[in-house]
């Protein structure tokens, strides 16, 4: 239990239990007391209320001031709801002595630990009292210094920080205290800093010094110097780390700047092109950069250092003694030119600047300076001086002009000599020019700034060429091309002479001005031309007028520099090599077309057709080509539209002729089938076969109607319609047929203008276009159907050759399907043309649409590209008209008894129609043509109630026949029929005179109803 016995008191009501508790306490090494007032460490009682207070004497060695109170509770006794305020713990009583002793022992260990803690607390209180006084002094000191001070525990958690720690880092005390100090260390320095402190701590060091980047709350980094004192206890364990931190950011910045400066100096020293050196006054080389080493022909500095510049570094006659004298007296020399010897004995010329470095007493320590290799310049000056006389002699013999000027110290140029040829042409001598203020006296005044700039360049050591004008004594202005060269005098350190030669280019300038005027005239004429004008040489474009640039879309850069542009890139690839070969052939003088048409692609991707006319002419000694190209795109479009219309018209005529003959055959088939049906009665053996014949005939008739619609020969019944209403109704039916994955979007325009159309044909147009779009989108996609009002102007009609100015209602069907290429677009309206698989289309859908639209004086615009869907826009002209009457509903087949004169030039049709009418109860008079019909009518004595005739008869139309017969038989009614109306005037004439015309092939029901309506006066 410990070295000092615990003193215990027992206050249990049960003597037996009391005795057992005491025995257990004594067995556990406790001293049990019975006298009241004795100070005890622990009290064991069976009551939760406070037992009598027992205190130790304050002077007693025991540390416990209040006893630890333990409540004894029997095993089966419940825990009291409220323990006494003085009860610290509970021990359940057990009759098993050993078990009870173990339970009690656990509680006594708590008592012993508590006693030790109290003792430690008393010792700590005394120490803290002493520390507080010392800490106050330390705190005052810490807060008064500028460095940051903070303390961390052994685990690196911050337990104290001086006030300036928080102002310096930007954190509040609550954000740092009891948190790791690494929060204040930049992430890139944390790993090595922790490793350093762990190593120093493991070594047993008492101090650590380091520099690292501290991290402030705002994310900024500052360099700090940290000095740490490691505080340990008596066992050598770390208690805390005391840290003093100083901001060294400014010092670090200075160090970095110094380092960068040293690097720049070293880089400059090692890489500069001029030589740098340091020597002793007696000529020993102390330092030389690589440029000087290589300049003198050595490989390394060590080799150069073995040479003494005083003894073997300079050419004989070099005034080295004068150099030392001036350097030591004046302190420095600038721009001294001398001759140095290289390692191989060759001579180089050097421009040297140096200074003498002295100590405090004035004694020269060393020379340091620079050496620039000027060998090329000195050699050139010598060569120039040697050739000056030769130059003067040669200049005297040439036809143009040469001169030499002296340059005074103030920059004034005085004439030295001037060739006689100049005096002969300009009339001025060199003396006269000097009296007029020098050469400027002969300059043409507007060109004076140019000549001054020219002279300034030469005076500054730069040879220069310029062109300008001078004035002769007689006032004539002449052009000169002048080349002037400066002569530099090393001793004077400046240009002292200027020599030059001038070429008289007056005639050349006149030719150039005339050529420029001609070119300006050409450009003006070319830019005014309503065609593209191009000048080419090989593949290079030499010139393009404004029309050409605007046509193809030249960029601004290409407008300024046409020669960088390959014009053949604009030509359609299919024609490009052919045009290139023609151009080369023409330049070689070989046969090539002078005129041709070809397509180009402009910069914005548009295709334009141009009509080229090409001629060849010489340009700068080489053949060149000039091409004039007229834009014929609109003409081509019109021609293609006309050819397409003619093609469609021819196909339409063929389709109409085929449909006419086919209708006649169908009428025979259907008439005989109707007769069979009437004769068969209810016999199912015949009815099924007859219905099969009639069904096939009906489908064939529908195919014929489509051909007639394409050929625009189908009879129409136009009426005033609201296109939105008709299209909307058709789409409701079609929407159910498209499938769930094809979305049909209907966008009707508001206040749509009325149109006059055949109602059934509108449905046919919409159905064909929507079904065609459905096939294009496949299993999933979108179809948009919309209407719109559109007013077309004259300008609009230029782009739409089939259009006329006016108001139109536009029906548009758009899809996002597979689209079509240009080759397919050319053929989409041809009958029987289809891109669908075998058995999946008749090829008459779009042909029918085309025919219906043309029949209503409309036109179609189609836009499509592969992969980008298609858009069909149908333009119907807005026409005022009366609304057509509705047809009567279907009724049972009526019969009759009247006499009918039937006229038909096709025998099979005549026989079939006659049999059908007879079967319906009528008396039929048959005639194979107009003449026979007139004869029958003249010879028949009874009443002829109805003339039923074909419109197109040989020799006389059906309408004309009716006029003749009605004239002699006024009571006779007239009903005309046709497979199609071959000539529009015949049909119009028949409809105006006799009413609606029946369309072949006819069913028995249609024929019976039409005949009854005419006979009864309802038609």
């Amino acid at each position: 239990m410990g070295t000092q016995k615990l003193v215990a008191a027992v206050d249990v009501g049960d003597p037996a239990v009391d005795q057992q508790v005491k025995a257990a306490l004594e067995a556990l090494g406790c001293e049990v007391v019975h006298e009241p007032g004795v100070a005890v460490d622990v009290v064991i009682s069976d009551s939760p209320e406070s037992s009598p207070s027992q205190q130790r004497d304050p002077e007693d060695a025991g540390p416990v001031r209040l006893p630890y109170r333990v409540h004894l509770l029997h095993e089966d006794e419940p825990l009291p709801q409220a323990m006494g305020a003085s009860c610290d713990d509970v021990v359940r009583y057990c009759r098993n002595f050993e078990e009870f002793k173990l339970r009690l022992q656990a509680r006594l260990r708590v008592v012993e630990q508590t006693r030790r803690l109290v003792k430690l607390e008393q010792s700590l209180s005394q120490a803290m009292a002493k520390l507080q006084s010392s800490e106050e002094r330390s705190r005052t000191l810490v807060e008064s210094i500028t460095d940051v001070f903070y303390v961390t525990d052994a685990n690196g958690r911050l337990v104290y920080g001086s006030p300036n720690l928080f102002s310096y880092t930007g954190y509040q005390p609550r954000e740092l205290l009891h948190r790791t100090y690494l929060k204040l260390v930049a992430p890139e320095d944390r790993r090595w800093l922790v490793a350093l402190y762990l190593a120093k701590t493991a070594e047993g060091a008492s101090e650590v010094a380091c520099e690292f980047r501290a991290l402030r709350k705002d994310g900024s980094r500052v360099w700090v110097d940290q000095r740490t004192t490691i505080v340990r206890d008596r066992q050598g364990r770390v208690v805390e780390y005391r840290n003093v931190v100083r901001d060294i950011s400014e010092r670090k910045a200075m160090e970095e700047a110094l380092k960068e400066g040293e690097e720049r100096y070293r880089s400059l020293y090692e890489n500069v092109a001029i030589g740098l050196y340091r020597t002793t006054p007696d000529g020993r080389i102390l330092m030389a950069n690589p440029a000087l080493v290589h300049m003198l022909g050595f490989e390394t500095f060590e080799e150069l250092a073995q040479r003494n510049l005083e003894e073997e570094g300079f050419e004989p006659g070099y005034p080295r003694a004068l150099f030392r004298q001036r350097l030591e007296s004046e302190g420095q020399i600038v721009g001294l030119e001398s001759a140095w010897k290289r390692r191989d004995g060759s001579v180089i010329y050097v421009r040297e600047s140096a200074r003498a470095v002295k100590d405090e007493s004035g004694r020269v320590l060393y020379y340091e300076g620079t050496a620039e290799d000027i060998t090329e310049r000195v050699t050139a000056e010598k060569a120039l001086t040697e050739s000056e006389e030769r130059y003067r002699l040669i200049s005297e013999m040439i036809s143009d002009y040469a001169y030499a000027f002296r340059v005074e110290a103030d920059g004034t140029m005085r004439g030295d000599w001037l060739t006689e040829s100049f005096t002969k042409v300009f009339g001025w001598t060199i003396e006269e020019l000097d009296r007029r203020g020098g050469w400027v006296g002969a300059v043409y005044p507007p060109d004076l700034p140019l000549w001054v700039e020219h002279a300034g360049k030469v005076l500054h050591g730069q040879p220069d060429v310029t062109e300008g004008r001078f004035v002769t004594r007689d006032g004539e202005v002449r052009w000169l091309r002048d080349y002037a060269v400066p002569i530099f005098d090393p001793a004077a350190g400046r240009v002292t002479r200027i020599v030059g030669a001038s070429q008289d280019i007056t005639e050349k300038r006149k030719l150039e001005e005339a050529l420029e005027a001609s070119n300006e005239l050409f450009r003006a004429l070319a830019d005014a031309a309503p065609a593209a004008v191009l000048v080419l040489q090989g593949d290079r474009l030499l010139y393009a007028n404004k029309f050409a640039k605007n046509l193809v879309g030249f960029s601004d850069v290409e407008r300024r520099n046409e020669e960088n542009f390959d014009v053949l890139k604009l030509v359609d690839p299919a024609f490009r090599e052919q045009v290139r070969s023609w151009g080369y052939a023409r330049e070689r003088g070989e046969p090539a077309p002078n005129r041709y048409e070809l397509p180009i692609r402009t910069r914005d991707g548009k295709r334009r057709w141009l009509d080229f006319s090409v001629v060849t002419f010489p340009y700068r000694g080489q053949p060149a080509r000039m091409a004039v190209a007229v834009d014929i795109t609109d003409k081509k479009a019109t021609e293609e539209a006309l050819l397409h219309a003619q093609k469609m018209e021819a196909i339409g005529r063929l389709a109409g002729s085929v449909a006419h003959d086919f209708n006649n055959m169908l009428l025979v088939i259907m008439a005989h089938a109707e007769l069979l049906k009437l004769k068969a009665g209810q016999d199912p053996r015949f009815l099924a076969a007859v219905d099969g014949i009639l069904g096939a005939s009906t489908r064939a008739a529908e195919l014929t109607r489509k051909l007639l619609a394409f050929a625009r020969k189908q009879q129409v019944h136009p009426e005033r319609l609201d296109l939105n209403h008709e299209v909307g109704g058709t789409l409701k039916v079609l929407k159910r047929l498209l499938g769930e994955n094809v979305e049909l979007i209907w966008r009707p325009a508001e206040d749509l203008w009325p149109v006059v159309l055949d109602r059934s044909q509108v449905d046919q147009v919409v159905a064909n276009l929507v079904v065609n779009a459905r096939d294009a989108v496949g299993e999933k996609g979108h179809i948009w159907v919309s209407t719109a009002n559109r007013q077309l102007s004259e300008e609009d009609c230029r782009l739409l050759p089939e259009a006329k100015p006016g108001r139109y209602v536009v029906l548009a069907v758009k899809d996002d399907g597979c689209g079509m290429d240009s080759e397919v677009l050319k053929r989409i309206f041809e009958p029987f043309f289809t891109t669908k698989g075998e058995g999946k289309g008749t090829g008459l859908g779009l042909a029918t649409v085309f025919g219906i639209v043309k029949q209503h004086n409309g036109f179609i615009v189609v836009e499509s590209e592969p992969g980008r869907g298609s858009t069909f826009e149908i333009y119907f002209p807005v026409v005022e008209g009366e609304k057509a009457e509705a047809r009567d509903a279907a009724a049972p087949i009526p019969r009759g008894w009247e006499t009918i004169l039937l006229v038909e030039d096709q025998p099979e049709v005549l026989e079939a129609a006659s049999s059908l009418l007879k079967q319906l109860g009528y008396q039929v008079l048959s005639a194979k043509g107009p003449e026979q019909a007139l004869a029958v009518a003249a010879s028949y004595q009874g009443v002829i109630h109805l003339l039923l005739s074909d419109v197109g008869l040989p020799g006389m139309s059906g309408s004309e026949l009716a006029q003749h017969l009605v004239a002699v038989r006024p009571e006779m009614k007239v009903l005309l029929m046709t497979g199609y109306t071959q000539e529009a005037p015949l049909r119009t004439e028949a409809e105006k005179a006799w009413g609606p015309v029946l369309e072949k092939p006819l069913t028995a029901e249609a024929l019976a109803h039409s005949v009854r309506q005419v006979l009864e006066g309802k038609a």
Side-chain angles (χ1 to χ4, degrees):
M1 294 292 293
T3 57
Q4 183 178 350
K5 289 185 177 182
L6 289 176
V7 180
V10 181
D11 184 14
V12 181
D14 187 344
V17 177
D18 186 58
Q19 188 63 33
Q20 188 174 14
V21 172
K22 291 177 180 178
L25 289 170
E26 290 174 352
L28 293 171
C30 295
E31 180 182 352
V32 181
V33 297
H34 306 281
E35 298 82 1
V38 177
V40 296
D41 296 306
V42 60
V43 175
I44 299 177
S45 172
D46 63 353
S47 171
E49 300 299 329
S50 296
S51 58
S53 176
Q54 292 179 299
Q55 298 283 345
R56 281 189 180 273
D57 189 335
E59 299 299 329
D60 189 12
V64 179
R65 296 178 181 176
L66 292 176
Y68 190 87
R69 289 174 173 78
V70 178
H71 176 61
L72 191 66
L73 190 66
H74 290 284
E75 282 188 317
D76 55 354
E77 183 181 353
L79 187 68
Q81 293 184 356
M83 301 294 294
S86 300
C87 183
D88 297 308
D89 207 345
V90 175
V91 174
R92 288 192 179 275
Y93 172 70
C94 179
R95 293 185 182 281
N96 185 319
F97 180 77
E98 291 301 324
E99 184 177 345
F100 173 70
K101 186 171 68 172
L102 290 173
R103 293 180 181 179
L104 189 59
Q105 184 181 22
R107 301 307 186 277
L108 293 179
R109 284 179 179 161
V110 175
V111 174
E112 184 177 16
Q113 291 294 332
T114 303
R115 186 176 68 176
R116 288 178 179 173
L117 289 174
V118 172
K119 183 177 180 180
L120 181 60
E121 182 182 354
Q122 289 177 345
S123 300
L124 186 60
S125 296
Q126 293 172 0
M128 288 298 292
K130 296 178 182 179
L131 180 62
Q132 185 173 3
S133 175
S134 174
E135 189 178 69
E136 288 297 330
R137 293 193 299 271
S138 299
R139 187 182 303 277
T140 302
L141 177 62
V142 167
E143 292 178 357
S144 64
I145 63 177
T146 58
D147 292 344
V148 173
F149 177 75
Y150 70 93
V151 180
T152 64
D153 61 16
N155 294 318
R157 290 188 295 270
L158 192 136
V159 298
Y160 172 76
S162 60
N164 57 355
L165 169 68
F166 306 106
S167 60
Y168 184 71
T169 63
Y171 286 100
Q172 296 296 324
R174 65 176 180 276
E175 295 177 294
L176 294 179
L177 292 176
H178 308 297
R179 301 176 186 236
T180 176
Y181 76 99
L182 290 176
K183 188 174 183 179
L184 299 174
V185 180
E188 58 268 29
D189 290 344
R190 289 173 184 169
R191 185 185 295 272
W192 70 261
L193 190 63
V194 170
L196 173 66
Y197 273 79
L198 288 176
K200 291 293 185 181
T201 302
E203 293 171 3
S206 60
E207 292 184 353
V208 182
C210 59
E211 295 177 358
F212 61 89
R213 283 159 285 200
L215 183 66
R216 288 174 166 161
K217 184 177 181 179
D218 61 5
S220 60
R221 289 165 166 76
V222 290
W223 276 97
V224 297
D225 175 272
Q226 179 168 288
R227 304 300 172 109
T228 303
T229 301
I230 304 176
V231 180
R232 292 180 168 84
D233 60 14
R234 293 180 180 179
Q235 285 74 32
R237 292 174 296 191
V238 174
V239 175
E240 62 185 22
Y241 296 91
R242 298 174 183 170
N243 306 277
V244 177
V245 179
R246 175 169 297 174
D247 189 324
I248 60 170
S249 299
E250 186 175 347
R251 192 197 82 197
K252 278 287 185 180
M254 293 175 62
E255 289 176 354
E256 286 296 323
L258 179 61
K259 183 178 179 181
E260 291 177 4
E262 290 176 349
E263 288 297 328
R264 286 195 298 270
Y265 172 76
R266 181 171 298 279
S267 175
L268 178 65
Y269 177 78
E270 293 180 352
N271 297 300
V272 70
I274 63 175
L276 304 176
Y277 67 84
R278 179 179 293 172
T279 68
T280 61
D282 60 359
R284 286 184 298 108
I285 302 174
L286 302 176
M287 184 183 72
N289 72 336
L292 184 63
V293 173
H294 297 147
M295 188 187 303
L296 295 176
F298 291 90
E299 295 293 332
T300 64
F301 168 74
E302 289 72 16
E303 295 177 351
L304 176 62
Q306 296 176 8
R307 166 179 284 196
N308 187 293
L309 291 180
E310 285 288 327
E311 297 174 359
E312 51 184 340
F314 306 99
E315 273 288 278
Y318 173 65
R320 186 65 179 176
L322 179 61
F323 170 80
R324 287 199 307 271
Q325 181 182 352
R326 285 183 56 191
L327 193 59
E328 293 182 9
S329 62
E330 301 175 9
Q332 67 177 7
I333 291 178
V334 178
L336 177 65
E337 295 185 0
S338 57
W340 290 19
K341 285 194 299 183
R342 288 166 51 87
R343 183 180 186 178
D344 60 3
S346 61
V347 176
I348 61 172
Y349 294 93
V350 172
R351 188 172 187 270
E352 184 179 6
S353 297
R355 72 186 185 98
V357 179
K358 303 177 181 179
D359 61 13
E360 296 179 354
S361 64
R363 183 174 61 88
V364 175
L365 298 176
Y366 53 83
Y367 302 151
E368 61 182 13
T370 63
E372 179 184 0
D373 188 345
I374 59 170
T375 303
E376 290 186 5
R377 195 206 75 199
V378 172
T379 303
E381 289 175 354
K382 285 185 176 181
L384 182 64
T385 302
E386 292 173 359
S387 65
E388 184 175 336
E389 286 301 320
R390 293 195 300 272
Y391 172 78
R392 180 173 179 175
L393 292 174
I394 294 172
S395 298
E396 292 286 354
M397 294 184 290
I398 63 176
S399 60
D400 290 333
Y401 327 118
Y403 59 86
F405 287 103
R406 298 187 311 276
V407 181
E408 306 293 344
D410 60 357
T412 303
M413 290 187 291
R414 300 294 181 186
D416 194 357
W417 57 267
L418 185 64
T419 55
E420 293 183 4
S421 56
F422 181 86
T423 303
K424 290 178 181 178
V425 174
F426 284 85
W428 305 106
T429 65
I430 194 167
E431 293 79 14
E432 289 173 329
L433 288 177
D434 282 342
R435 286 195 296 271
R436 291 174 59 86
W439 57 271
V440 294
V443 170
Y444 184 57
D447 290 355
L448 182 59
L450 181 147
W451 287 105
V452 170
E453 180 183 1
H454 172 57
K457 290 179 181 179
V458 182
L459 286 172
H460 285 85
Q462 175 184 343
D464 191 53
V465 179
T466 193
E467 294 182 1
R469 287 166 289 186
F470 268 54
V471 182
T472 66
R473 180 189 291 273
D474 298 334
E476 180 188 0
V477 177
R478 300 193 67 81
W479 279 91
L480 296 179
R481 187 175 190 272
D482 184 65
Y483 175 69
V485 178
I487 299 177
F488 186 84
D489 184 353
R494 62 180 179 83
V495 174
T496 57
R497 298 192 71 195
I498 295 175
V499 295
S502 297
Q503 181 183 3
D504 195 319
I505 58 171
T506 304
E507 298 304 320
K508 174 175 173 288
R509 275 287 184 167
K510 289 180 179 180
L511 291 174
E512 288 176 351
E513 289 173 359
L515 179 62
E516 181 61 26
S518 175
N519 289 339
E520 286 296 328
L521 178 61
F522 168 76
R523 281 192 288 267
L525 292 173
D527 286 342
V533 179
L534 306 172
V535 177
L536 304 98
Q537 194 170 57
D539 289 341
R540 291 190 308 124
L541 176 64
L542 303 180
Y543 170 77
N545 70 340
K546 290 182 180 179
F547 187 94
K549 295 174 183 178
N550 295 333
L551 176 67
V552 303
F554 270 23
S555 67
D556 290 339
V557 173
E558 289 157 348
R559 288 175 188 269
R560 292 192 297 269
N561 190 7
E562 289 89 350
E563 292 194 11
N564 290 333
F565 182 72
D566 183 3
V567 72
L568 287 179
K569 291 181 179 179
L570 297 173
V571 177
D572 190 290
F575 297 85
R576 190 173 299 162
E577 290 306 316
Q578 181 65 68
V579 173
R580 192 189 305 274
S581 66
W582 285 343
Y584 287 149
R586 182 176 294 280
E587 290 183 3
R588 292 193 300 266
E590 298 173 2
N594 293 327
R595 186 170 181 178
Y596 46 82
E597 298 177 359
L598 57 85
I600 68 167
R601 288 282 182 184
T602 62
R603 283 301 179 86
D604 57 3
K606 294 181 179 178
R607 196 168 190 256
R608 311 288 300 180
W609 276 90
L610 301 181
D611 182 356
F612 283 88
S613 298
V614 186
V615 297
T616 305
F617 68 98
Y619 177 76
R620 294 182 179 177
Q622 297 293 329
R625 312 183 305 281
M626 182 169 68
V628 178
V630 179
D631 188 349
I632 58 171
T633 305
D634 294 342
K635 174 188 171 186
K636 277 284 185 180
T638 304
E639 288 176 354
E640 289 180 4
L642 179 59
L643 289 174
H644 182 70
Q646 291 172 346
K647 176 182 176 182
M648 297 305 292
E649 183 66 25
I651 295 174
R653 288 180 180 275
L654 176 61
S657 298
V658 171
H660 173 262
D661 295 337
F662 196 51
N663 267 340
N664 285 332
M665 289 185 286
L666 282 177
L667 188 146
V668 175
I669 295 171
M670 294 177 71
H672 286 296
E674 293 283 1
L675 289 172
L676 284 174
K677 188 172 183 179
L678 292 173
K679 292 180 179 180
Q682 300 299 320
D683 189 341
R685 293 175 302 171
F686 296 103
L687 286 177
V690 172
D691 286 342
I693 296 172
L694 288 173
S697 300
T698 301
R699 289 191 295 275
E702 179 64 25
L703 181 62
T704 307
R705 277 193 291 274
K706 290 182 178 180
L707 281 172
L708 287 173
F710 167 74
R712 291 169 279 160
K713 306 299 183 182
Q714 185 180 14
Q715 185 175 1
V716 296
H717 302 283
E719 53 186 307
R720 185 183 176 90
L721 296 177
D722 178 359
L723 194 59
N724 281 343
H725 176 74
E726 298 302 323
V727 173
T730 304
L731 293 180
K732 289 179 182 179
V733 177
L734 293 175
K735 197 167 187 179
R736 294 192 293 269
L737 304 177
L738 296 179
E740 296 181 356
N741 295 328
V742 177
E743 184 178 0
L744 179 62
I745 303 164
W746 167 228
R747 294 175 177 169
E750 296 182 0
D751 300 326
L752 195 67
W753 296 329
V755 290
V756 175
L757 303 172
D758 185 294
R759 189 185 305 271
S760 64
Q761 290 189 339
V762 171
D763 296 340
Q764 197 171 0
V765 168
V766 174
N768 278 324
L769 290 179
V770 171
V771 170
N772 199 62
R774 190 274 315 275
D775 293 339
V777 301
E779 296 181 358
K780 186 175 182 180
H782 301 80
I783 301 173
W784 294 268
V785 181
S786 62
T787 56
N789 295 326
R790 196 163 297 174
Q791 180 82 37
L792 296 184
S793 64
E794 293 282 356
E795 182 64 23
D796 296 330
C797 294
R798 287 184 66 249
L799 304 176
L800 301 170
E802 298 178 80
K804 297 179 180 179
R807 296 195 304 164
Y808 290 82
V809 171
V810 181
L811 170 64
V813 178
K814 177 182 177 183
D815 65 71
D816 56 3
C818 59
M820 298 174 283
D821 59 27
S822 58
E823 294 302 318
V824 174
L825 281 174
K826 292 178 181 178
R827 303 187 60 193
I828 56 174
F829 296 122
E830 293 180 10
F832 307 111
F833 175 76
T834 179
T835 59
K836 302 171 186 176
E838 186 175 352
K840 294 185 178 180
T842 64
L844 287 173
L846 291 178
T848 300
V849 171
F850 180 84
I852 292 173
V853 173
K854 289 295 182 181
Q855 200 167 11
H856 288 86
N857 300 317
F859 62 92
I860 306 174
V861 176
V862 185
E863 293 182 359
S864 183
E865 290 183 24
R868 301 185 66 177
S870 303
T871 300
F872 286 78
E873 288 187 342
I874 300 175
Y875 287 73
F876 290 118
V878 177
V879 181
E880 301 296 333
E882 297 297 328
K883 186 173 182 180
E885 296 181 3
R887 295 175 179 266
D888 292 338
I893 297 178
R895 301 175 65 82
W897 53 268
E898 291 87 348
T899 300
I900 299 175
L901 174 58
L902 176 63
V903 185
E904 170 61 55
D905 61 332
Q906 297 292 328
E908 300 87 351
V909 178
L910 179 64
E911 181 184 352
S914 175
S915 299
L916 187 57
L917 289 170
K918 290 176 181 178
Q919 188 67 30
L920 293 174
Y922 297 99
Q923 181 179 354
V924 179
L925 303 176
S926 299
K928 296 181 180 179
E931 293 182 1
Q932 188 177 0
L934 291 173
V936 170
S939 62
Y940 186 69
Q941 300 301 315
V943 177
I944 300 177
H945 299 87
L946 176 68
L947 169 66
L948 178 59
S949 173
D950 191 23
V951 171
L953 295 172
M956 183 184 299
S957 70
S959 181
E960 292 172 338
L961 175 61
Q963 289 176 356
H964 283 88
L965 292 175
V966 170
V968 296
R969 291 178 176 268
E971 75 283 357
M972 184 174 65
K973 304 292 181 64
V974 177
L975 178 60
L976 300 179
M977 58 182 177
T978 183
Y980 79 106
T981 304
Q982 182 67 28
E983 299 294 339
L986 290 178
R987 181 172 197 145
T988 303
E989 176 188 355
E991 288 179 339
K992 287 182 178 180
W994 314 110
V997 177
L998 290 182
E999 292 186 43
K1000 300 176 185 177
L1002 299 170
T1003 63
E1005 180 181 359
L1007 180 60
H1009 279 291
S1010 298
V1011 169
R1012 290 310 318 159
Q1013 287 177 352
V1014 174
L1015 289 173
E1016 295 172 4
K1018 296 180 179 179

